[in-house]
Amino acid sequence: MSHDDHHPHGRRVFCKADDSASAISRRISMAALPDSKQGFPVRVWAKHAGATNVGVKATAIATARLATENEPPKHVVAIPGFRGNRTEIELYVEDVANFADKTIETPAEESPFTIGGKTDPKASAGAIANAARERKTPVVQAIGAEAVFGAVRAIAIARQYLQDKDDGIDLYFKTEFVKVRFEGRSEDTTAIKMTCYLYEGKLETGEWMG
């Protein structure tokens, strides 16, 4: 399905803290169906930490499913932003092919940032924006709802910092689950990993009109 074939507004998915991430992921993945009346982009909307955590997990599940089970494989990414204030999140989920022509190549070496539940998103945003300015690959990892919420907010704020300074670059990210092991522990813990990619110019997500 080409970008021109998409429903003009895509679909929107509202997340609540008690929703099933698996169920929400299926609603995202359905946008890839050939007969879908509402294709990509998918706007995943959430408010506060619990709902945002569900939305990010759902996006990670859908990302993996579409890359491995869809025929042909579809690779999707997310553009994070705010709706109204910095507690209301939008993940604009879209086919990465639509960004390929202006994606800036960066070294394979990653610039990792671990964000905790009490990390200041604005401080993290500054570090992410600076890594982007240096043409590095910012990678954010988070464990737990508050940390995931902070990570998404940090990337969204970093996008604002880059735009405010007229750096001429923007960010989108791929989200996935990864296993991490903390020192002194014998078992792995599942974390959310958000790998940011640099885009030349400004990513336009538009406004939902109905």
Side-chain angles (χ1 to χ4, degrees):
M1 183 181 295
S2 71
H3 185 65
D4 293 339
D5 294 330
H6 295 166
H7 184 280
H9 305 304
R11 64 173 60 200
R12 56 181 171 178
V13 178
F14 293 93
C15 296
K16 301 191 298 293
D18 58 354
D19 280 339
S20 160
S22 180
I24 296 293
S25 76
R26 288 192 289 272
R27 294 174 62 188
I28 297 171
S29 299
M30 285 173 61
L33 295 175
D35 58 350
S36 174
K37 293 182 179 178
Q38 292 181 315
F40 287 98
V42 178
R43 298 173 185 271
V44 180
W45 287 351
K47 189 173 183 179
H48 301 306
T52 299
N53 189 42
V54 169
V56 171
K57 286 182 175 179
T59 302
I61 296 169
T63 298
R65 178 186 296 124
L66 291 170
T68 58
E69 299 178 13
N70 201 67
E71 187 57 46
K74 183 177 286 291
H75 301 282
V76 298
V77 292
I79 306 171
F82 297 111
R83 298 178 56 232
N85 59 61
R86 288 183 175 176
T87 64
E88 298 181 53
I89 301 294
E90 175 181 274
L91 297 177
Y92 183 93
V93 182
E94 178 64 293
D95 187 339
V96 71
N98 293 314
F99 308 141
D101 60 335
K102 289 192 174 182
T103 295
I104 301 169
E105 289 192 15
T106 56
E109 180 182 355
E110 300 174 344
S111 296
F113 301 94
T114 299
I115 293 183
K118 295 184 178 180
T119 303
D120 180 0
K122 289 187 287 187
S124 299
I128 293 168
N130 285 335
R133 291 184 183 107
E134 294 172 4
R135 298 301 191 266
K136 295 180 179 178
T137 304
V139 175
V140 178
Q141 287 192 176
I143 299 172
E146 291 290 344
V148 170
F149 183 47
V152 174
R153 293 173 71 201
I155 300 172
I157 295 169
R159 293 185 62 224
Q160 293 178 338
Y161 287 168
L162 293 169
Q163 291 165 18
D164 290 345
K165 294 290 186 179
D166 292 325
D167 286 290
I169 53 176
D170 206 337
L171 296 172
Y172 62 87
F173 67 82
K174 174 186 175 183
T175 183
E176 59 189 315
F177 296 103
V178 294
K179 295 291 186 181
V180 297
R181 181 170 297 187
F182 295 105
E183 186 176 352
R185 296 190 181 182
S186 59
E187 296 183 354
D188 292 337
T189 300
T190 301
I192 291 287
K193 177 181 178 182
M194 304 175 196
T195 303
C196 297
Y197 297 90
L198 279 58
Y199 179 88
E200 183 181 355
K202 180 181 178 181
L203 289 160
E204 300 291 346
T205 59
E207 297 292 336
W208 183 272
M209 300 299 291

